[in-house]
Amino acid sequence: SDGNYNGDGKIRFGFKKLRKIKRCKYILNKLNISYTNPREGKFYIPLNGNEFLYEALAKVSDNKTLKWNILDKCNGDIYLQEAANWDGHINNFNYVSFSTIIKDTATIMQVMGHLNGYMVSLRDKGRKYVLGYSLRKTWRLRHSIGLRSV
């Protein structure tokens, strides 16, 4: 997403879209993560008091690239649903188009989807990789057990 580790002992997020600002605040508060919000859309998460978060992130990602062990450490269903809120677009049919410039991240997310019952397409668009998947569980279930719509 729109963040980085700045080397100062802080994770920094910066958002312009209101939906991302609200979502970030909601998640940080829900997980009881201490942070500062110096101005609208800016969030700083200090290492001090949030060591668990830094340890968890180091286990599953290297900067912004996912590591393969995320498949064992993270609930893929929740991860894919949440990813759609950040670097994705959800249409009226609950179909997600998610893009990343990091091929390994796209590949790992595709595998994560397949392991969690999502039919995930992955397209190489030159400068970015685009994943497509449906969040509709009834659609996923019908297709995973071979039922077709009439």
Side-chain angles (χ1 to χ4, degrees), residues 13-62:
F13 290 105
F15 307 109
K16 291 183 180 175
K17 294 182 179 175
L18 185 58
R19 69 176 173 82
K20 288 185 176 186
I21 294 168
K22 287 181 178 181
R23 187 73 184 160
C24 186
K25 280 183 185 177
Y26 171 79
I27 290 170
L28 293 172
N29 291 331
K30 188 79 171 168
L31 295 175
N32 200 29
I33 295 172
S34 62
Y35 65 93
T36 59
N37 188 206
R39 63 180 189 264
E40 189 66 16
K42 301 291 182 194
F43 299 90
Y44 296 99
I45 303 169
L47 172 60
N48 191 13
N50 292 308
E51 291 83 2
F52 74 96
L53 177 62
Y54 282 75
E55 290 171 19
L57 289 173
K59 289 179 183 175
V60 298
S61 71
D62 181 19

Side-chain angles (χ1 to χ4, degrees), residues 2-119:
D2 308 318
N4 62 29
Y5 176 70
N6 69 6
D8 251 7
K10 292 181 190 151
I11 295 174
R12 181 197 69 80
F13 290 105
F15 307 109
K16 291 183 180 175
K17 294 182 179 175
L18 185 58
R19 69 176 173 82
K20 288 185 176 186
I21 294 168
K22 287 181 178 181
R23 187 73 184 160
C24 186
K25 280 183 185 177
Y26 171 79
I27 290 170
L28 293 172
N29 291 331
K30 188 79 171 168
L31 295 175
N32 200 29
I33 295 172
S34 62
Y35 65 93
T36 59
N37 188 206
R39 63 180 189 264
E40 189 66 16
K42 301 291 182 194
F43 299 90
Y44 296 99
I45 303 169
L47 172 60
N48 191 13
N50 292 308
E51 291 83 2
F52 74 96
L53 177 62
Y54 282 75
E55 290 171 19
L57 289 173
K59 289 179 183 175
V60 298
S61 71
D62 181 19
N63 196 1
K64 293 186 178 188
T65 303
L66 294 181
K67 293 179 183 176
W68 281 101
N69 67 352
I70 194 171
L71 300 174
D72 296 325
K73 309 269 184 205
C74 177
N75 180 317
D77 192 37
I78 293 171
Y79 185 94
L80 290 171
Q81 289 177 36
E82 192 59 39
N85 290 301
W86 299 97
D87 290 325
H89 169 75
I90 307 169
N91 72 13
N92 292 337
F93 301 102
N94 261 353
Y95 186 83
V96 176
S97 291
F98 178 91
S99 64
T100 178
I101 60 169
I102 304 169
K103 184 177 183 179
D104 287 348
T105 293
T107 303
I108 291 167
M109 287 178 68
Q110 183 182 36
V111 170
M112 182 185 290
H114 291 307
L115 292 173
N116 285 279
Y118 293 87
M119 292 180 60

